[in-house]
Amino acid sequence: RQVCIHLLAPLGSADNHPPVMMRGDYPASIDPRGRYTAMQAAALLGVHRTTIGRWKRAGLIRPRTSKVNGRPRYIGSDLIKLWEWETRY
């Protein structure tokens, strides 16, 4: 079964990027125990960095604060859950 989700920027969005397609199983390159910056998370999921920010504001994903430098990091298992939620149909 092939799953395809189109993720579009909300109307009036500042970024005019084409739709992104998330399909099937999550990318094998996501380590469930890995910690990723917003840019890294976006690259792994195949979405724009601002999409990660929209998902964060919508409460779909929550960054954890790094104990080393205090910067936000996204946990691989959270990225996998988000991928599975977005491609559930």
Side-chain angles (χ1 to χ4, degrees), residues 41-76:
L44 288 168
L45 295 174
V47 299
H48 194 270
R49 182 177 46 103
T50 57
T51 302
I52 298 293
R54 279 196 301 275
W55 287 342
K56 176 184 163 190
R57 287 188 299 279
L60 297 177
I61 191 166
R62 185 187 65 165
R64 311 289 165 73
T65 303
S66 170
K67 292 179 182 177
V68 175
N69 60 18
R71 294 183 180 166
R73 295 288 183 258
Y74 295 89
I75 308 302

PDB file of all heavy atoms in Angstrom, residues 41-76:
ATOM      1  N   ALA A  41      16.471  17.796  11.069  1.00  0.00           N
ATOM      2  CA  ALA A  41      15.163  17.131  11.104  1.00  0.00           C
ATOM      3  C   ALA A  41      14.407  17.374   9.799  1.00  0.00           C
ATOM      4  O   ALA A  41      13.826  16.452   9.232  1.00  0.00           O
ATOM      5  CB  ALA A  41      14.346  17.612  12.296  1.00  0.00           C
ATOM      6  N   ALA A  42      14.446  18.612   9.312  1.00  0.00           N
ATOM      7  CA  ALA A  42      13.768  18.943   8.063  1.00  0.00           C
ATOM      8  C   ALA A  42      14.361  18.147   6.901  1.00  0.00           C
ATOM      9  O   ALA A  42      13.626  17.599   6.074  1.00  0.00           O
ATOM     10  CB  ALA A  42      13.872  20.438   7.792  1.00  0.00           C
ATOM     11  N   ALA A  43      15.687  18.052   6.858  1.00  0.00           N
ATOM     12  CA  ALA A  43      16.341  17.306   5.778  1.00  0.00           C
ATOM     13  C   ALA A  43      15.973  15.823   5.844  1.00  0.00           C
ATOM     14  O   ALA A  43      15.709  15.199   4.811  1.00  0.00           O
ATOM     15  CB  ALA A  43      17.854  17.486   5.864  1.00  0.00           C
ATOM     16  N   LEU A  44      15.944  15.258   7.036  1.00  0.00           N
ATOM     17  CA  LEU A  44      15.598  13.843   7.184  1.00  0.00           C
ATOM     18  C   LEU A  44      14.170  13.563   6.750  1.00  0.00           C
ATOM     19  O   LEU A  44      13.874  12.517   6.171  1.00  0.00           O
ATOM     20  CB  LEU A  44      15.793  13.407   8.633  1.00  0.00           C
ATOM     21  CG  LEU A  44      17.241  13.271   9.092  1.00  0.00           C
ATOM     22  CD1 LEU A  44      17.302  13.124  10.609  1.00  0.00           C
ATOM     23  CD2 LEU A  44      17.902  12.081   8.422  1.00  0.00           C
ATOM     24  N   LEU A  45      13.251  14.494   7.048  1.00  0.00           N
ATOM     25  CA  LEU A  45      11.839  14.301   6.722  1.00  0.00           C
ATOM     26  C   LEU A  45      11.490  14.775   5.319  1.00  0.00           C
ATOM     27  O   LEU A  45      10.386  14.543   4.847  1.00  0.00           O
ATOM     28  CB  LEU A  45      10.966  15.024   7.752  1.00  0.00           C
ATOM     29  CG  LEU A  45      11.050  14.489   9.179  1.00  0.00           C
ATOM     30  CD1 LEU A  45      10.258  15.377  10.127  1.00  0.00           C
ATOM     31  CD2 LEU A  45      10.563  13.056   9.243  1.00  0.00           C
ATOM     32  N   GLY A  46      12.421  15.497   4.679  1.00  0.00           N
ATOM     33  CA  GLY A  46      12.158  15.987   3.330  1.00  0.00           C
ATOM     34  C   GLY A  46      11.216  17.167   3.298  1.00  0.00           C
ATOM     35  O   GLY A  46      10.457  17.328   2.344  1.00  0.00           O
ATOM     36  N   VAL A  47      11.246  17.980   4.340  1.00  0.00           N
ATOM     37  CA  VAL A  47      10.401  19.171   4.403  1.00  0.00           C
ATOM     38  C   VAL A  47      11.290  20.402   4.601  1.00  0.00           C
ATOM     39  O   VAL A  47      12.475  20.281   4.881  1.00  0.00           O
ATOM     40  CB  VAL A  47       9.361  19.086   5.548  1.00  0.00           C
ATOM     41  CG1 VAL A  47       8.430  17.899   5.344  1.00  0.00           C
ATOM     42  CG2 VAL A  47      10.035  19.011   6.903  1.00  0.00           C
ATOM     43  N   HIS A  48      10.717  21.578   4.462  1.00  0.00           N
ATOM     44  CA  HIS A  48      11.454  22.812   4.682  1.00  0.00           C
ATOM     45  C   HIS A  48      11.577  23.070   6.182  1.00  0.00           C
ATOM     46  O   HIS A  48      10.714  22.646   6.959  1.00  0.00           O
ATOM     47  CB  HIS A  48      10.742  23.984   3.991  1.00  0.00           C
ATOM     48  CG  HIS A  48      11.585  25.207   3.895  1.00  0.00           C
ATOM     49  ND1 HIS A  48      11.584  26.166   4.874  1.00  0.00           N
ATOM     50  CD2 HIS A  48      12.462  25.612   2.957  1.00  0.00           C
ATOM     51  CE1 HIS A  48      12.421  27.120   4.531  1.00  0.00           C
ATOM     52  NE2 HIS A  48      12.976  26.814   3.372  1.00  0.00           N
ATOM     53  N   ARG A  49      12.610  23.785   6.568  1.00  0.00           N
ATOM     54  CA  ARG A  49      12.841  24.090   7.988  1.00  0.00           C
ATOM     55  C   ARG A  49      11.653  24.825   8.617  1.00  0.00           C
ATOM     56  O   ARG A  49      11.315  24.590   9.779  1.00  0.00           O
ATOM     57  CB  ARG A  49      14.106  24.939   8.118  1.00  0.00           C
ATOM     58  CG  ARG A  49      14.474  25.276   9.534  1.00  0.00           C
ATOM     59  CD  ARG A  49      15.769  26.051   9.576  1.00  0.00           C
ATOM     60  NE  ARG A  49      15.797  27.120   8.597  1.00  0.00           N
ATOM     61  CZ  ARG A  49      15.617  28.401   8.900  1.00  0.00           C
ATOM     62  NH1 ARG A  49      15.413  28.778  10.122  1.00  0.00           N
ATOM     63  NH2 ARG A  49      15.648  29.313   7.948  1.00  0.00           N
ATOM     64  N   THR A  50      10.990  25.688   7.843  1.00  0.00           N
ATOM     65  CA  THR A  50       9.836  26.404   8.400  1.00  0.00           C
ATOM     66  C   THR A  50       8.670  25.464   8.691  1.00  0.00           C
ATOM     67  O   THR A  50       7.843  25.762   9.545  1.00  0.00           O
ATOM     68  CB  THR A  50       9.376  27.540   7.468  1.00  0.00           C
ATOM     69  OG1 THR A  50       9.063  26.998   6.189  1.00  0.00           O
ATOM     70  CG2 THR A  50      10.454  28.605   7.334  1.00  0.00           C
ATOM     71  N   THR A  51       8.607  24.337   7.982  1.00  0.00           N
ATOM     72  CA  THR A  51       7.566  23.342   8.260  1.00  0.00           C
ATOM     73  C   THR A  51       7.771  22.756   9.652  1.00  0.00           C
ATOM     74  O   THR A  51       6.800  22.551  10.390  1.00  0.00           O
ATOM     75  CB  THR A  51       7.580  22.236   7.195  1.00  0.00           C
ATOM     76  OG1 THR A  51       7.376  22.827   5.912  1.00  0.00           O
ATOM     77  CG2 THR A  51       6.506  21.199   7.458  1.00  0.00           C
ATOM     78  N   ILE A  52       9.017  22.507  10.025  1.00  0.00           N
ATOM     79  CA  ILE A  52       9.317  22.027  11.377  1.00  0.00           C
ATOM     80  C   ILE A  52       8.816  23.049  12.398  1.00  0.00           C
ATOM     81  O   ILE A  52       8.198  22.689  13.399  1.00  0.00           O
ATOM     82  CB  ILE A  52      10.832  21.771  11.548  1.00  0.00           C
ATOM     83  CG1 ILE A  52      11.321  20.673  10.585  1.00  0.00           C
ATOM     84  CG2 ILE A  52      11.172  21.421  12.989  1.00  0.00           C
ATOM     85  CD1 ILE A  52      10.795  19.288  10.864  1.00  0.00           C
ATOM     86  N   GLY A  53       9.053  24.329  12.131  1.00  0.00           N
ATOM     87  CA  GLY A  53       8.567  25.389  13.028  1.00  0.00           C
ATOM     88  C   GLY A  53       7.052  25.422  13.123  1.00  0.00           C
ATOM     89  O   GLY A  53       6.492  25.619  14.204  1.00  0.00           O
ATOM     90  N   ARG A  54       6.373  25.222  12.006  1.00  0.00           N
ATOM     91  CA  ARG A  54       4.894  25.196  12.026  1.00  0.00           C
ATOM     92  C   ARG A  54       4.395  24.015  12.833  1.00  0.00           C
ATOM     93  O   ARG A  54       3.452  24.123  13.611  1.00  0.00           O
ATOM     94  CB  ARG A  54       4.341  25.134  10.599  1.00  0.00           C
ATOM     95  CG  ARG A  54       4.301  26.465   9.903  1.00  0.00           C
ATOM     96  CD  ARG A  54       3.403  26.435   8.671  1.00  0.00           C
ATOM     97  NE  ARG A  54       3.807  25.457   7.685  1.00  0.00           N
ATOM     98  CZ  ARG A  54       4.714  25.652   6.741  1.00  0.00           C
ATOM     99  NH1 ARG A  54       5.346  26.797   6.667  1.00  0.00           N
ATOM    100  NH2 ARG A  54       4.996  24.706   5.872  1.00  0.00           N
ATOM    101  N   TRP A  55       5.029  22.850  12.645  1.00  0.00           N
ATOM    102  CA  TRP A  55       4.629  21.670  13.411  1.00  0.00           C
ATOM    103  C   TRP A  55       4.889  21.890  14.896  1.00  0.00           C
ATOM    104  O   TRP A  55       4.104  21.454  15.732  1.00  0.00           O
ATOM    105  CB  TRP A  55       5.385  20.449  12.924  1.00  0.00           C
ATOM    106  CG  TRP A  55       4.926  19.933  11.587  1.00  0.00           C
ATOM    107  CD1 TRP A  55       3.755  20.204  10.953  1.00  0.00           C
ATOM    108  CD2 TRP A  55       5.629  19.047  10.734  1.00  0.00           C
ATOM    109  NE1 TRP A  55       3.700  19.539   9.759  1.00  0.00           N
ATOM    110  CE2 TRP A  55       4.829  18.820   9.599  1.00  0.00           C
ATOM    111  CE3 TRP A  55       6.866  18.421  10.820  1.00  0.00           C
ATOM    112  CZ2 TRP A  55       5.216  17.991   8.560  1.00  0.00           C
ATOM    113  CZ3 TRP A  55       7.262  17.595   9.784  1.00  0.00           C
ATOM    114  CH2 TRP A  55       6.434  17.376   8.667  1.00  0.00           C
ATOM    115  N   LYS A  56       5.979  22.565  15.221  1.00  0.00           N
ATOM    116  CA  LYS A  56       6.287  22.866  16.626  1.00  0.00           C
ATOM    117  C   LYS A  56       5.203  23.766  17.217  1.00  0.00           C
ATOM    118  O   LYS A  56       4.680  23.497  18.299  1.00  0.00           O
ATOM    119  CB  LYS A  56       7.657  23.538  16.713  1.00  0.00           C
ATOM    120  CG  LYS A  56       8.037  23.976  18.090  1.00  0.00           C
ATOM    121  CD  LYS A  56       9.361  24.725  18.066  1.00  0.00           C
ATOM    122  CE  LYS A  56       9.539  25.510  19.327  1.00  0.00           C
ATOM    123  NZ  LYS A  56      10.682  26.418  19.246  1.00  0.00           N
ATOM    124  N   ARG A  57       4.850  24.843  16.505  1.00  0.00           N
ATOM    125  CA  ARG A  57       3.814  25.771  17.004  1.00  0.00           C
ATOM    126  C   ARG A  57       2.450  25.099  17.102  1.00  0.00           C
ATOM    127  O   ARG A  57       1.649  25.429  17.965  1.00  0.00           O
ATOM    128  CB  ARG A  57       3.743  27.007  16.113  1.00  0.00           C
ATOM    129  CG  ARG A  57       4.930  27.940  16.297  1.00  0.00           C
ATOM    130  CD  ARG A  57       4.762  29.246  15.552  1.00  0.00           C
ATOM    131  NE  ARG A  57       4.629  29.091  14.117  1.00  0.00           N
ATOM    132  CZ  ARG A  57       5.636  28.919  13.268  1.00  0.00           C
ATOM    133  NH1 ARG A  57       6.877  28.879  13.716  1.00  0.00           N
ATOM    134  NH2 ARG A  57       5.416  28.793  11.978  1.00  0.00           N
ATOM    135  N   ALA A  58       2.184  24.138  16.222  1.00  0.00           N
ATOM    136  CA  ALA A  58       0.910  23.419  16.239  1.00  0.00           C
ATOM    137  C   ALA A  58       0.884  22.325  17.309  1.00  0.00           C
ATOM    138  O   ALA A  58      -0.149  21.711  17.545  1.00  0.00           O
ATOM    139  CB  ALA A  58       0.635  22.803  14.866  1.00  0.00           C
ATOM    140  N   GLY A  59       2.032  22.086  17.941  1.00  0.00           N
ATOM    141  CA  GLY A  59       2.095  21.073  18.987  1.00  0.00           C
ATOM    142  C   GLY A  59       2.282  19.654  18.470  1.00  0.00           C
ATOM    143  O   GLY A  59       2.121  18.699  19.222  1.00  0.00           O
ATOM    144  N   LEU A  60       2.630  19.504  17.198  1.00  0.00           N
ATOM    145  CA  LEU A  60       2.812  18.172  16.629  1.00  0.00           C
ATOM    146  C   LEU A  60       4.166  17.574  16.979  1.00  0.00           C
ATOM    147  O   LEU A  60       4.337  16.359  16.946  1.00  0.00           O
ATOM    148  CB  LEU A  60       2.663  18.221  15.106  1.00  0.00           C
ATOM    149  CG  LEU A  60       1.288  18.647  14.598  1.00  0.00           C
ATOM    150  CD1 LEU A  60       1.293  18.737  13.088  1.00  0.00           C
ATOM    151  CD2 LEU A  60       0.229  17.667  15.078  1.00  0.00           C
ATOM    152  N   ILE A  61       5.127  18.433  17.291  1.00  0.00           N
ATOM    153  CA  ILE A  61       6.461  17.977  17.651  1.00  0.00           C
ATOM    154  C   ILE A  61       7.032  18.943  18.679  1.00  0.00           C
ATOM    155  O   ILE A  61       6.745  20.137  18.629  1.00  0.00           O
ATOM    156  CB  ILE A  61       7.370  17.860  16.411  1.00  0.00           C
ATOM    157  CG1 ILE A  61       8.653  17.140  16.759  1.00  0.00           C
ATOM    158  CG2 ILE A  61       7.623  19.206  15.781  1.00  0.00           C
ATOM    159  CD1 ILE A  61       9.441  16.692  15.559  1.00  0.00           C
ATOM    160  N   ARG A  62       7.783  18.392  19.615  1.00  0.00           N
ATOM    161  CA  ARG A  62       8.323  19.221  20.696  1.00  0.00           C
ATOM    162  C   ARG A  62       9.833  19.011  20.793  1.00  0.00           C
ATOM    163  O   ARG A  62      10.293  17.888  20.996  1.00  0.00           O
ATOM    164  CB  ARG A  62       7.675  18.828  22.008  1.00  0.00           C
ATOM    165  CG  ARG A  62       8.067  19.705  23.173  1.00  0.00           C
ATOM    166  CD  ARG A  62       7.512  19.146  24.422  1.00  0.00           C
ATOM    167  NE  ARG A  62       8.178  17.850  24.644  1.00  0.00           N
ATOM    168  CZ  ARG A  62       8.165  17.190  25.776  1.00  0.00           C
ATOM    169  NH1 ARG A  62       7.487  17.644  26.775  1.00  0.00           N
ATOM    170  NH2 ARG A  62       8.798  16.052  25.904  1.00  0.00           N
ATOM    171  N   PRO A  63      10.597  20.097  20.644  1.00  0.00           N
ATOM    172  CA  PRO A  63      12.045  19.934  20.784  1.00  0.00           C
ATOM    173  C   PRO A  63      12.429  19.790  22.251  1.00  0.00           C
ATOM    174  O   PRO A  63      11.720  20.263  23.142  1.00  0.00           O
ATOM    175  CB  PRO A  63      12.609  21.225  20.199  1.00  0.00           C
ATOM    176  CG  PRO A  63      11.542  22.229  20.424  1.00  0.00           C
ATOM    177  CD  PRO A  63      10.236  21.466  20.330  1.00  0.00           C
ATOM    178  N   ARG A  64      13.523  19.121  22.483  1.00  0.00           N
ATOM    179  CA  ARG A  64      14.096  19.017  23.823  1.00  0.00           C
ATOM    180  C   ARG A  64      15.275  19.969  23.877  1.00  0.00           C
ATOM    181  O   ARG A  64      15.899  20.256  22.862  1.00  0.00           O
ATOM    182  CB  ARG A  64      14.564  17.595  24.105  1.00  0.00           C
ATOM    183  CG  ARG A  64      13.542  16.530  23.767  1.00  0.00           C
ATOM    184  CD  ARG A  64      12.360  16.546  24.738  1.00  0.00           C
ATOM    185  NE  ARG A  64      11.227  15.792  24.245  1.00  0.00           N
ATOM    186  CZ  ARG A  64      11.120  14.484  24.171  1.00  0.00           C
ATOM    187  NH1 ARG A  64      12.123  13.728  24.526  1.00  0.00           N
ATOM    188  NH2 ARG A  64      10.032  13.912  23.731  1.00  0.00           N
ATOM    189  N   THR A  65      15.601  20.449  25.033  1.00  0.00           N
ATOM    190  CA  THR A  65      16.725  21.362  25.185  1.00  0.00           C
ATOM    191  C   THR A  65      17.997  20.575  25.446  1.00  0.00           C
ATOM    192  O   THR A  65      18.041  19.728  26.337  1.00  0.00           O
ATOM    193  CB  THR A  65      16.462  22.351  26.343  1.00  0.00           C
ATOM    194  OG1 THR A  65      15.244  23.031  26.070  1.00  0.00           O
ATOM    195  CG2 THR A  65      17.582  23.354  26.465  1.00  0.00           C
ATOM    196  N   SER A  66      19.033  20.890  24.671  1.00  0.00           N
ATOM    197  CA  SER A  66      20.324  20.236  24.840  1.00  0.00           C
ATOM    198  C   SER A  66      20.928  20.641  26.184  1.00  0.00           C
ATOM    199  O   SER A  66      20.936  21.816  26.542  1.00  0.00           O
ATOM    200  CB  SER A  66      21.268  20.650  23.710  1.00  0.00           C
ATOM    201  OG  SER A  66      22.577  20.220  23.990  1.00  0.00           O
ATOM    202  N   LYS A  67      21.428  19.671  26.933  1.00  0.00           N
ATOM    203  CA  LYS A  67      22.070  19.964  28.215  1.00  0.00           C
ATOM    204  C   LYS A  67      23.449  20.580  28.007  1.00  0.00           C
ATOM    205  O   LYS A  67      23.973  21.238  28.889  1.00  0.00           O
ATOM    206  CB  LYS A  67      22.186  18.693  29.051  1.00  0.00           C
ATOM    207  CG  LYS A  67      20.844  18.180  29.506  1.00  0.00           C
ATOM    208  CD  LYS A  67      20.984  16.912  30.316  1.00  0.00           C
ATOM    209  CE  LYS A  67      19.608  16.413  30.720  1.00  0.00           C
ATOM    210  NZ  LYS A  67      19.684  15.148  31.437  1.00  0.00           N
ATOM    211  N   VAL A  68      24.017  20.366  26.832  1.00  0.00           N
ATOM    212  CA  VAL A  68      25.359  20.869  26.547  1.00  0.00           C
ATOM    213  C   VAL A  68      25.342  22.361  26.221  1.00  0.00           C
ATOM    214  O   VAL A  68      26.091  23.136  26.792  1.00  0.00           O
ATOM    215  CB  VAL A  68      25.997  20.068  25.382  1.00  0.00           C
ATOM    216  CG1 VAL A  68      27.339  20.651  24.998  1.00  0.00           C
ATOM    217  CG2 VAL A  68      26.125  18.616  25.758  1.00  0.00           C
ATOM    218  N   ASN A  69      24.465  22.767  25.292  1.00  0.00           N
ATOM    219  CA  ASN A  69      24.479  24.155  24.844  1.00  0.00           C
ATOM    220  C   ASN A  69      23.134  24.869  24.957  1.00  0.00           C
ATOM    221  O   ASN A  69      23.019  26.018  24.564  1.00  0.00           O
ATOM    222  CB  ASN A  69      25.007  24.241  23.411  1.00  0.00           C
ATOM    223  CG  ASN A  69      24.172  23.458  22.437  1.00  0.00           C
ATOM    224  OD1 ASN A  69      23.037  23.103  22.711  1.00  0.00           O
ATOM    225  ND2 ASN A  69      24.732  23.165  21.274  1.00  0.00           N
ATOM    226  N   GLY A  70      22.116  24.205  25.467  1.00  0.00           N
ATOM    227  CA  GLY A  70      20.813  24.838  25.671  1.00  0.00           C
ATOM    228  C   GLY A  70      20.001  25.044  24.406  1.00  0.00           C
ATOM    229  O   GLY A  70      18.958  25.686  24.447  1.00  0.00           O
ATOM    230  N   ARG A  71      20.445  24.497  23.289  1.00  0.00           N
ATOM    231  CA  ARG A  71      19.731  24.669  22.023  1.00  0.00           C
ATOM    232  C   ARG A  71      18.717  23.551  21.825  1.00  0.00           C
ATOM    233  O   ARG A  71      18.893  22.445  22.320  1.00  0.00           O
ATOM    234  CB  ARG A  71      20.718  24.678  20.866  1.00  0.00           C
ATOM    235  CG  ARG A  71      21.621  25.881  20.929  1.00  0.00           C
ATOM    236  CD  ARG A  71      22.535  25.940  19.758  1.00  0.00           C
ATOM    237  NE  ARG A  71      23.378  27.125  19.863  1.00  0.00           N
ATOM    238  CZ  ARG A  71      24.442  27.312  19.146  1.00  0.00           C
ATOM    239  NH1 ARG A  71      24.828  26.405  18.267  1.00  0.00           N
ATOM    240  NH2 ARG A  71      25.144  28.413  19.286  1.00  0.00           N
ATOM    241  N   PRO A  72      17.646  23.860  21.081  1.00  0.00           N
ATOM    242  CA  PRO A  72      16.620  22.829  20.863  1.00  0.00           C
ATOM    243  C   PRO A  72      17.118  21.708  19.963  1.00  0.00           C
ATOM    244  O   PRO A  72      17.838  21.950  18.996  1.00  0.00           O
ATOM    245  CB  PRO A  72      15.481  23.602  20.202  1.00  0.00           C
ATOM    246  CG  PRO A  72      16.101  24.811  19.616  1.00  0.00           C
ATOM    247  CD  PRO A  72      17.303  25.131  20.447  1.00  0.00           C
ATOM    248  N   ARG A  73      16.731  20.495  20.302  1.00  0.00           N
ATOM    249  CA  ARG A  73      17.054  19.314  19.510  1.00  0.00           C
ATOM    250  C   ARG A  73      15.797  18.458  19.403  1.00  0.00           C
ATOM    251  O   ARG A  73      15.024  18.342  20.352  1.00  0.00           O
ATOM    252  CB  ARG A  73      18.160  18.480  20.168  1.00  0.00           C
ATOM    253  CG  ARG A  73      19.491  19.177  20.244  1.00  0.00           C
ATOM    254  CD  ARG A  73      20.130  19.267  18.864  1.00  0.00           C
ATOM    255  NE  ARG A  73      21.449  19.872  18.903  1.00  0.00           N
ATOM    256  CZ  ARG A  73      21.701  21.128  18.563  1.00  0.00           C
ATOM    257  NH1 ARG A  73      20.721  21.928  18.210  1.00  0.00           N
ATOM    258  NH2 ARG A  73      22.934  21.597  18.581  1.00  0.00           N
ATOM    259  N   TYR A  74      15.610  17.869  18.241  1.00  0.00           N
ATOM    260  CA  TYR A  74      14.471  16.994  17.999  1.00  0.00           C
ATOM    261  C   TYR A  74      14.941  15.556  18.103  1.00  0.00           C
ATOM    262  O   TYR A  74      15.952  15.182  17.515  1.00  0.00           O
ATOM    263  CB  TYR A  74      13.857  17.286  16.629  1.00  0.00           C
ATOM    264  CG  TYR A  74      13.266  18.672  16.562  1.00  0.00           C
ATOM    265  CD1 TYR A  74      14.032  19.761  16.169  1.00  0.00           C
ATOM    266  CD2 TYR A  74      11.960  18.891  16.939  1.00  0.00           C
ATOM    267  CE1 TYR A  74      13.499  21.032  16.133  1.00  0.00           C
ATOM    268  CE2 TYR A  74      11.412  20.166  16.920  1.00  0.00           C
ATOM    269  CZ  TYR A  74      12.189  21.234  16.512  1.00  0.00           C
ATOM    270  OH  TYR A  74      11.661  22.500  16.498  1.00  0.00           O
ATOM    271  N   ILE A  75      14.212  14.753  18.846  1.00  0.00           N
ATOM    272  CA  ILE A  75      14.570  13.363  19.085  1.00  0.00           C
ATOM    273  C   ILE A  75      14.089  12.507  17.905  1.00  0.00           C
ATOM    274  O   ILE A  75      12.968  12.675  17.419  1.00  0.00           O
ATOM    275  CB  ILE A  75      13.937  12.855  20.405  1.00  0.00           C
ATOM    276  CG1 ILE A  75      14.262  13.798  21.554  1.00  0.00           C
ATOM    277  CG2 ILE A  75      14.377  11.422  20.714  1.00  0.00           C
ATOM    278  CD1 ILE A  75      15.728  13.999  21.813  1.00  0.00           C
ATOM    279  N   GLY A  76      14.944  11.579  17.479  1.00  0.00           N
ATOM    280  CA  GLY A  76      14.621  10.730  16.332  1.00  0.00           C
ATOM    281  C   GLY A  76      13.311   9.973  16.486  1.00  0.00           C
ATOM    282  O   GLY A  76      12.533   9.872  15.538  1.00  0.00           O
TER     283      GLY A  76
END
